[in-house]
């Protein structure tokens, strides 16, 4: 994984946690601070003092970072933001019913039938590069934690023909399934999104974007 990818994930987490109000406040403070710095006394030679340069750089960061965040949150990342808000309101509540069919055998499957297991549901698509990159991490998670009562479901709303063709070239250890468009299941449209459901069927958390095996292993440990 390149340095850019974890940085992008960190920025996305920061923007979602901060929210529009905090980012807007940072933007205002940055503008005010920048204005005050420009009015600060200069040295005898006319050059700005060192402290004003440092404060000016901080103010510039407080202007550009939240400005970029606000643009992304209300533009290209608006779907991710909506998914985060939707999912956050359901954490620690009973997971809604979910019915799907297995890709391999076209057999009907209910989420309720997995009660007693820790269930990791990864919402993915064959057209999603981060989803493809994440698949080996989820396969390893399934192999290592199945003896401890973990089931990893990789679920897509694409056609079974598309999924079968993909899985013939890229076999999986997870429970691969397909269903109708998933927006009714927590209203999630962002890919990849991963959901965690405990042994009692309670929705315990979610992750937007791809993650590593180590992250998932630590994430599910408290519920094993």
């Amino acid at each position: 994984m390149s340095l850019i990818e974890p940085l992008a994930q960190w920025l996305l987490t920061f923007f979602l946690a901060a929210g529009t109000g905090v980012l807007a406040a940072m933007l205002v403070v940055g503008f005010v601070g920048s204005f005050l710095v420009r009015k600060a006394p200069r040295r005898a030679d006319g050059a700005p003092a060192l402290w004003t340069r440092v404060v000016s750089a901080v103010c510039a960061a407080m202007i550009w970072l939240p400005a970029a965040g606000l643009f992304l949150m209300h533009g290209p990342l608006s779907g991710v933001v909506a998914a985060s808000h939707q999912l956050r309101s359901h954490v620690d509540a009973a997971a809604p019913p979910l019915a799907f069919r297995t890709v391999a055998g076209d057999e009907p499957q209910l989420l309720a039938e997995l009660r007693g297991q820790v269930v990791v549901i990864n919402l993915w698509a064959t057209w999603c590069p981060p989803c493809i990159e994440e698949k080996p991490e989820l396969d390893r998670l399934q192999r290592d934690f199945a003896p401890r009562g973990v089931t990893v479901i990789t679920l897509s709303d694409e056609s079974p023909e598309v999924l079968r063709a993909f899985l013939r070239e890229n076999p999986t250890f997870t429970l691969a399934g397909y269903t109708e468009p998933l927006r009714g299941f927590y209203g999630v449209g962002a890919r990849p999104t991963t959901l965690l459901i405990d042994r009692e069927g309670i929705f315990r958390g979610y992750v937007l974007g791809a993650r590593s095996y180590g992250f998932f292993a630590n994430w599910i440990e408290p519920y094993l």
Side-chain angles (χ1 to χ4, degrees):
M1 180 179 289
S2 69
L3 179 62
I4 294 176
E5 291 169 349
L7 177 60
Q9 291 178 356
W10 183 89
L11 286 172
L12 174 59
T13 302
F14 171 77
F15 292 150
L16 292 175
T20 298
V22 173
L23 293 177
M26 289 176 61
L27 192 62
V28 171
V29 170
F31 274 117
V32 172
S34 182
F35 173 79
L36 294 176
V37 166
R38 286 198 299 270
K39 297 297 183 180
R42 291 176 173 261
R43 298 185 323 198
D45 61 1
L50 177 60
W51 74 267
T52 62
R53 296 178 186 177
V54 173
V55 174
S56 180
V58 172
C59 290
M62 293 185 68
I63 292 171
W64 289 107
L65 182 63
L70 290 170
F71 167 74
L72 291 172
M73 289 176 65
H74 295 279
L77 294 180
S78 58
V80 175
V81 174
S84 179
H85 289 319
Q86 173 72 3
L87 290 167
R88 189 181 302 128
S89 65
H90 293 285
V91 172
D92 295 331
L98 173 64
F100 60 95
R101 286 184 172 274
T102 62
V103 175
D106 207 37
E107 300 167 347
Q109 177 80 58
L110 298 176
L111 176 61
E113 295 171 349
L114 297 173
R115 184 68 60 86
Q117 296 271 310
V118 174
V119 180
V120 176
I121 303 177
N122 178 256
L123 309 178
W124 75 292
T126 59
W127 46 259
C128 165
C131 301
I132 308 307
E133 182 178 342
E134 186 181 47
K135 278 189 85 285
E137 311 295 304
L138 294 166
D139 282 338
R140 181 182 171 191
L141 190 75
Q142 177 65 73
R143 289 196 306 267
D144 290 354
F145 285 88
R148 300 178 65 182
V150 174
T151 297
V152 180
I153 303 172
T154 45
L155 193 61
S156 177
D157 54 9
E158 297 173 280
S159 72
E161 292 78 19
V162 167
L163 295 171
R164 287 178 190 130
F166 179 87
L167 292 177
R168 276 195 296 270
E169 300 295 327
N170 305 274
T172 184
F173 287 92
T174 66
L175 176 57
Y178 73 93
T179 184
E180 296 298 319
L182 285 161
R183 292 189 179 277
F185 189 67
Y186 291 122
V188 178
R191 300 289 183 274
T193 295
T194 308
L195 314 174
L196 176 60
I197 299 171
D198 71 11
R199 298 184 191 276
E200 285 71 46
I202 305 300
F203 174 45
R204 292 302 186 186
Y206 64 94
V207 175
L208 299 171
R211 292 295 189 275
S212 67
Y213 168 84
F215 174 90
F216 287 125
N218 291 331
W219 192 39
I220 68 175
E221 186 66 36
Y223 304 99
L224 297 179

